Amino acid sequence: MAGTTEGPAGDGPPRGFRSAELGWPELHRIPRPPHRLPLLGDVLGARGSTPVQDTLRYARQLGPIFRRRAFGKEFVFVWGAGLVADLADEARFAKHVGLGVANLRPVAGDGLFTAYNHEPNWQLAHDVLAPGFSREAMAGYHRTMLDVAQRLTARWDRAQAAGRAVDVPGDMTRLTLETIARTGFGHDFGSFERSRPHPFVTAMVGTLSYAQRLNTVPAPLAPWLLRRASRRNAADIACLDRTVDDLIRARRTAPGQGDLLDRMLETAHPVTGERLSPENVRRQVITFLVAGHETTSGALSFALHHLSRQPEVAARARAEIDRVWGDTAEPAYEQVARLRYVRRVLDETLRLWPTAPAFAREAREDTVLAGAHPMRRGAWALVLTPMLHRDPQVWGPDAERFDPGRFDAAAVRSRPPHTFKPFGTGARACIGRQFALHEATLVLGLLLRRYELRPDPGYRLRVTERLTLMPEGLRLHLDRRTAGVTPPPLEPAARDGGSAPRCPVRGTGD
């Protein structure tokens, strides 16, 4: 089971996983499910494939702070706005690397997302890479984002001409993987020329799914229950490592592109002069390739689902796009930020379906949460972001309804702070937030300007979980809009192309 964000012995919070009864002196005051089974805990009605959605059901029943027990370990969950605002206090609380995140450390080690707070490479990498997400850098990425988006629209044009529905999650994954790979690392995975996902994507999905499964079985039994899955996970990790090592090796022979990879390889810390080690460079590249596309693809997929179901929202967004972009074939960087309503659509999507659905916080010292719940140093809680974003005291009795108007400027100003947290909180919040928002706003603008979206009438939203959230089986039919700009030329028909894989084909099974 996951560890805590602790330093060496005597320096920082206690070491190792801490069940809640060790850190919450008055745990008995926190509600729990009524039907607790000996040894197993609160598992009635739970499914191993949907732990987040199961926990959301408990949250609705038990209130803004509650606890669950599974296989001898107790967890505290929080979603009430006042409680989360207190946990966001950086002076008293810090990021906690726990649950599924710590299970990713064999993949990403001390990368930006999975590093413990005491590990020096986190701050080093953050300081070295932060300029890569400045406004100047973002403007430089815009051209590549457009190029990748045009590969997507060429694919969708072919599907529309053939009368085929498009696989939204699959194509959004292709888009966002190519975008982060090309902008950050100068690499083309050839995702749009493949009939099947690139082996890197298959391996990535495998490692994320395995990390989640580790949380659903008793730790002592995992070597037996997940024996085959563990072997596949080792092969998946090896695939990710080989892919990234090839990418880095190629760059060392041709440096000077000025992207994130050059920064990792060539830039020293501005104060200390330290550089990232070769091993940490690999971990950071994997972190960016995985986190930089997995969450954004989910956000775009959920947004397109809602837009297809609410034509009045889509029509208002298109009107804004037509007004702001006019007949320009390729919108400029500055024109994307002017799509304020499209951005509200994206924010409302992230409110209902934050694709990274939780973040954990731990007490730096003994404290009392919101004046009511004592916590010892090292005690931690998991913030359920989808429930925080549905707190009726903040979002109203219709919090389940999709309404981009919630993010009008006046509405945003009227809400208390720390009530909208799709990118985490504090010093360890997502470094690539502005990158993801610019990419997603640009893509939504391009797609809405080009297509009318028709949903499958029989489809009901299903959500698949692999630490992140993604719509399952979402397919849309497309109609080309009669107004608009001349499309770019079509690309060649899809084929199995791109970079030659160095990963074995994964089988199926447990």
Side-chain angles (χ1 to χ4, degrees):
M1 186 58 75
T4 60
T5 52
E6 79 289 347
D11 178 21
R15 302 179 69 87
F17 175 83
R18 304 195 80 216
S19 189
E21 63 267 18
L22 301 177
W24 296 75
E26 298 182 11
L27 187 66
H28 64 278
R29 295 177 48 229
I30 298 176
R32 66 169 177 84
H35 305 296
R36 177 168 287 186
L37 300 178
L39 300 179
L40 297 179
D42 304 314
V43 298
L44 286 179
R47 293 170 293 174
S49 61
T50 57
V52 172
Q53 292 165 83
D54 292 340
T55 305
L56 296 183
R57 285 193 290 272
Y58 281 121
R60 293 183 176 96
Q61 298 167 13
L62 298 173
I65 180 170
F66 64 99
R67 56 192 169 109
R68 286 185 68 185
R69 191 170 187 85
F71 309 120
K73 295 181 172 63
E74 192 99 25
F75 307 90
V76 172
F77 299 88
V78 170
W79 59 268
L83 295 162
V84 175
D86 207 39
L87 286 169
D89 181 356
E90 286 284 290
R92 295 162 51 223
F93 297 94
K95 173 172 177 170
H96 173 81
V97 176
L99 297 174
V101 175
N103 293 338
L104 288 174
R105 282 182 61 87
V107 184
D110 56 353
L112 280 171
F113 180 59
T114 47
Y116 294 128
N117 292 323
H118 74 275
E119 291 179 309
N121 275 333
W122 172 78
Q123 191 68 60
L124 172 61
H126 184 276
D127 293 347
V128 166
L129 294 173
F133 296 96
S134 66
R135 188 181 185 281
E136 180 182 9
M138 292 294 306
Y141 302 145
H142 178 75
R143 173 70 261 171
T144 302
M145 290 182 178
L146 274 170
D147 291 344
V148 176
Q150 287 176 353
R151 292 166 71 182
L152 170 70
T153 56
R155 182 182 181 90
W156 280 23
D157 282 352
R158 290 191 294 270
Q160 187 272 330
R164 299 192 309 267
V166 293
D167 170 12
V168 175
D171 285 342
M172 293 305 104
T173 296
R174 290 180 175 91
L175 170 91
T176 55
L177 176 64
E178 292 300 333
T179 298
I180 185 60
R182 290 187 59 190
T183 57
F185 309 105
H187 185 73
D188 190 334
F189 281 101
S191 299
F192 288 105
E193 291 71 57
R194 294 179 176 273
S195 59
R196 296 182 300 275
H198 190 281
F200 182 92
V201 173
T202 304
M204 177 213 69
V205 170
T207 58
L208 291 175
S209 300
Y210 180 78
Q212 177 154 295
R213 289 192 67 188
L214 283 177
N215 292 319
T216 64
V217 299
L221 300 181
W224 289 273
L225 295 178
L226 300 179
R227 184 166 59 248
R228 283 193 298 167
S230 178
R231 287 198 298 267
R232 278 203 310 274
N233 185 60
D236 287 338
I237 293 174
C239 172
L240 298 179
D241 287 347
R242 285 195 302 271
T243 303
V244 170
D245 287 347
D246 286 350
L247 190 155
I248 294 171
R249 189 178 302 110
R251 175 56 59 86
R252 290 191 186 279
T253 66
Q257 298 189 33
D259 56 13
L260 292 176
L261 184 54
D262 276 352
R263 288 184 178 277
M264 293 179 190
L265 294 172
E266 300 174 5
T267 303
H269 190 279
V271 176
T272 67
E274 292 179 275
R275 294 176 182 270
L276 296 175
S277 68
E279 182 182 25
N280 188 256
V281 169
R282 173 206 276 174
R283 291 170 169 176
Q284 302 297 355
V285 173
I286 290 176
T287 296
F288 276 99
L289 285 175
V290 174
H293 93 274
E294 173 73 0
T295 52
T296 308
S297 61
L300 281 165
S301 298
F302 281 116
L304 290 166
H305 166 73
H306 284 292
L307 287 164
S308 72
R309 296 284 172 159
Q310 299 202 32
E312 71 284 358
V313 173
R316 181 173 174 183
R318 286 192 186 94
E320 178 185 65
I321 296 161
D322 292 343
R323 183 180 70 255
V324 172
W325 290 1
D327 60 358
T328 181
E330 296 181 340
Y333 173 78
E334 295 78 11
Q335 288 179 294
V336 176
R338 292 171 58 197
L339 296 182
R340 293 182 176 86
Y341 187 75
V342 174
R343 171 62 186 276
R344 289 169 193 158
V345 169
L346 184 60
D347 284 344
E348 177 68 348
T349 300
L350 289 169
R351 181 185 73 84
L352 285 174
W353 297 109
T355 49
F359 60 92
R361 301 285 284 173
E362 71 177 30
R364 295 180 183 271
E365 301 292 342
D366 292 356
T367 189
V368 179
L369 177 62
H373 300 284
M375 299 175 66
R376 297 191 180 101
R377 183 178 63 132
W380 62 278
L382 193 67
V383 176
L384 290 175
T385 319
M387 285 302 299
L388 168 67
H389 293 173
R390 288 168 166 83
D391 187 340
Q393 295 188 21
V394 175
W395 304 96
D398 64 344
E400 296 284 350
R401 183 170 63 89
F402 184 86
D403 177 13
R406 299 180 200 276
F407 289 90
D408 290 345
V412 172
R413 287 193 299 269
S414 71
R415 285 193 291 272
H418 305 298
T419 54
F420 182 59
K421 293 287 185 179
F423 295 96
T425 193
R428 299 290 301 274
C430 176
I431 192 175
R433 172 179 179 171
Q434 294 307 320
F435 181 100
L437 291 172
H438 181 83
E439 176 189 7
T441 305
L442 169 66
V443 170
L444 287 181
L446 292 170
L447 295 180
L448 286 171
R449 181 164 70 159
R450 196 178 191 91
Y451 307 109
E452 299 279 350
L453 308 172
R454 288 189 288 113
D456 178 350
Y459 179 78
R460 297 294 178 267
L461 181 63
R462 302 183 305 275
V463 178
T464 187
E465 300 182 22
R466 52 189 187 228
L467 292 187
T468 59
L469 304 180
M470 178 76 79
E472 180 181 347
L474 174 62
R475 303 181 72 84
L476 296 177
H477 293 273
L478 308 173
D479 293 320
R480 279 296 302 270
R481 295 183 69 202
T482 55
V485 298
T486 303
L490 292 180
E491 294 186 350
R495 57 184 172 82
D496 278 330
S499 306
R502 296 188 59 205
C503 309
V505 177
R506 286 180 93 249
T508 57
D510 63 1

